[in-house]
Amino acid sequence: MTGNSIFRPAEETATCRWSEVPVLAYKETDSAPFREVTRQVLFEGGPLACQLRYFEVAPGGHTTLERHAHVHGVMVLRGHGHCLVGDRILSLATQDLVYIPALIWHQFRAAAEVPLGFLCMVNTERDRPELPSPIELAALRADPAIAAFIQT
Ligand code: MN
């Protein structure tokens, strides 16, 4: 997205799409487990030291269960679902804001019948996500609610 200063929502669809913004795979590699997620990079580079992405999780889908030293600032734009943040499972609806602190396990899941679309702001320079080891997964699953929620 260069040249213009404003990009309107694409009019032919009710979904969150923007002109000149390609819809990408959620992750570059398929080494991390996830299901039915797309990624659009809305702002990055230049004088901004951050990147603003829009992720959309299809009904029943989920992002990767992960943690990392960088933080996320999230705003839900569409649909609803839940997210795990540390030891809490939060219900998510449109316009909710979620802050994911450093080194906290997190995962987003769409509701069964509707997608979950959210903006996610990150630093441009950031570490790679880490997946839970078998020991860490067992520790997470010690909480029955978390065991029922997480997808790996
Ligand atoms: Mn993350």
Side-chain angles (χ1 to χ4, degrees):
M1 348 188 352
T2 55
N4 298 330
S5 294
I6 188 163
F7 293 83
R8 305 287 184 196
E11 288 179 17
E12 69 273 14
T13 170
T15 60
C16 291
R17 299 284 183 268
W18 291 266
S19 60
E20 301 184 41
V21 178
V23 178
L24 307 170
Y26 168 54
K27 303 235 171 182
E28 305 290 347
T29 68
D30 52 16
S31 59
F34 63 91
R35 182 165 174 257
E36 296 285 325
V37 188
T38 60
R39 170 173 60 99
Q40 297 174 75
V41 179
L42 306 181
F43 294 101
E44 69 174 338
L48 290 172
C50 64
Q51 192 182 58
L52 186 66
R53 302 87 52 86
Y54 174 75
F55 293 102
E56 192 163 294
V57 186
H62 60 86
T63 63
T64 304
L65 173 62
E66 62 180 29
R67 71 177 177 184
H68 35 67
H70 64 275
V71 306
H72 291 315
V74 168
M75 178 180 180
V76 178
L77 274 195
R78 179 170 189 232
H80 53 91
H82 291 82
C83 67
L84 171 74
V85 183
D87 59 1
R88 299 177 63 199
I89 296 168
L90 309 174
S91 175
L92 296 178
T94 305
Q95 295 189 14
D96 283 350
L97 300 174
V98 186
Y99 180 75
I100 310 287
L103 299 173
I104 292 295
W105 295 112
H106 56 281
Q107 182 169 50
F108 289 79
R109 288 183 64 179
E113 71 282 2
V114 294
L116 177 68
F118 58 92
L119 297 170
C120 179
M121 185 168 56
V122 287
N123 290 116
T124 305
E125 295 290 328
R126 58 187 184 275
D127 61 321
R128 296 189 64 81
E130 171 191 2
L131 304 181
S133 69
I135 290 171
E136 289 163 337
L137 258 185
L140 283 164
R141 288 185 169 131
D143 181 324
I146 293 175
F149 179 80
I150 58 177
Q151 303 284 315
T152 58

